[in-house]
Amino acid sequence: MKIGLIGFGKAGKAVANVILQSPDFTLEWILRNSTNMENLSAKDFLEVESSDTAEIFSLQNIEITQLFDDRPVDMIIDFSTTESIYLYGKAASERNIKIISAISHYGNQEKKFLQELSQKNTVFWSPNITLGVNYLLFAASLLKNIAPDVDIEVVEEHFKAKAGISGTAIKIAETLDIEETSINSVRAGGIVGKHEVIFGFPYQTVRLVHESISREAFGSGALFVARNLKNRSNGLYNFEDILKPFFFNDSKTMLS
């Protein structure tokens, strides 16, 4: 399966590293806004032995349609910026290139645009694409269903420079139907990302914790989605759609 990667920041580099080492995928190209490293190969920059081309292109010097036509791919994985979906979304959908977006924050306008794209394309979006976080979301939802009146607090920790509440924490709050005021944010040092959901019962607490040890977790999550999105029809999918078959059987009961 041929992959095009959009974004080559800290997360993008980690994702590229994982793709380059996967036998099931090839990293055809990387598209970034900056002209730094243009026409170089990501495998050389990352010092990874691979037969993948992984050539780096700049938006400053190539049209997105030209890139798609000259270097066709099966899927796009987006780790860039909120606005990027407008640059490639329609062109990708016209060419049946599936879209996997790992952008942390989308506003209502972007969410509406994703819905429009999904009418004729397979589109996936998750504010956190790590498997562990999404397992945590599933487990937290099940516990909330069992005890709907339990007290819930969310603690999210990230590196010092990260601004605002994390998209993952907001997603947790939305999933558990709690206010954003129940989200507690910590910014310190180089923390990659940690999310904790605290359930306060009388005389006891239950804590569900996920911590990203390395940004490569984003890459393994993205490839997990890619494998499970391969044969999906048009539509807008999230991690719940991908994970449901692993948690429930056809009768919707928990697997033993």
Side-chain angles (χ1 to χ4, degrees):
M1 200 180 306
K2 295 181 178 180
I3 301 293
L5 176 64
I6 299 182
F8 202 55
K10 290 181 179 179
K13 291 181 177 69
V15 173
N17 186 40
V18 173
I19 299 173
L20 286 168
Q21 297 181 66
S22 170
D24 301 323
F25 300 88
T26 60
L27 183 56
E28 294 297 307
W29 47 259
I30 295 165
L31 183 64
R32 64 197 308 255
N33 191 53
S34 172
T35 57
N36 291 340
M37 297 183 283
E38 187 176 22
N39 298 323
L40 298 177
S41 173
K43 60 186 178 183
D44 295 331
F45 177 82
L46 297 170
E47 298 182 344
V48 176
E49 290 188 12
S50 172
S51 60
D52 299 4
T53 307
E55 188 174 354
I56 301 172
F57 294 92
S58 170
L59 265 172
Q60 307 297 320
N61 295 317
I62 191 168
E63 293 289 334
I64 196 75
T65 52
Q66 179 188 346
L67 180 60
F68 288 171
D69 292 338
D70 292 349
R71 305 288 291 274
V73 293
D74 302 303
M75 289 188 181
I76 287 172
I77 297 177
D78 184 1
F79 272 87
S80 59
T81 64
T82 302
E83 297 77 18
S84 293
I85 187 67
Y86 297 113
L87 297 174
Y88 71 82
K90 287 185 177 179
S93 297
E94 289 168 355
R95 292 161 175 78
N96 297 315
I97 303 173
K98 290 178 170 61
I99 296 171
I100 297 175
S101 173
I103 302 304
S104 294
H105 293 280
Y106 275 138
N108 290 333
Q109 183 175 330
E110 287 77 36
K111 292 176 184 177
K112 181 180 178 181
F113 187 58
L114 291 178
Q115 287 282 3
E116 293 173 0
L117 294 175
S118 71
Q119 298 302 310
K120 57 180 180 180
N121 194 13
T122 306
V123 181
F124 174 94
W125 172 53
S126 175
N128 189 311
I129 205 163
T130 60
L131 273 173
V133 156
N134 289 282
Y135 290 154
L136 179 148
L137 273 170
F138 248 88
S141 297
L142 292 172
L143 187 52
K144 175 67 182 292
N145 288 337
I146 295 169
D149 298 323
V150 68
D151 297 327
I152 303 175
E153 291 287 320
V154 177
V155 181
E156 58 101 354
E157 303 177 11
H158 286 86
F159 53 93
K160 186 73 173 179
K162 185 175 179 65
I165 301 172
S166 77
T168 301
I170 293 173
K171 175 65 175 177
I172 292 172
E174 291 174 348
T175 300
L176 300 179
D177 194 26
I178 61 175
E179 300 294 329
E180 285 189 22
T181 52
S182 294
I183 300 174
N184 307 273
S185 298
V186 176
R187 297 291 178 267
I191 299 172
V192 175
K194 181 178 180 181
H195 294 85
E196 179 178 13
V197 185
I198 304 170
F199 292 88
F201 294 89
Y203 315 114
Q204 60 189 318
T205 59
V206 174
R207 297 169 183 261
L208 301 177
V209 182
H210 173 267
E211 184 170 10
S212 293
I213 306 301
S214 166
R215 289 182 175 85
E216 270 72 12
F218 299 133
S220 59
L223 294 190
F224 175 83
V225 171
R227 289 187 183 94
N228 287 276
L229 208 66
K230 181 180 179 180
N231 297 317
R232 298 264 181 164
S233 57
N234 294 348
L236 179 57
Y237 298 90
N238 57 31
F239 239 115
E240 183 177 357
D241 301 315
I242 301 296
L243 289 178
K244 270 183 179 178
F246 296 93
F247 277 76
F248 300 94
N249 61 22
D250 292 338
S251 62
K252 305 299 182 184
T253 58
M254 287 300 295
L255 289 170
S256 59

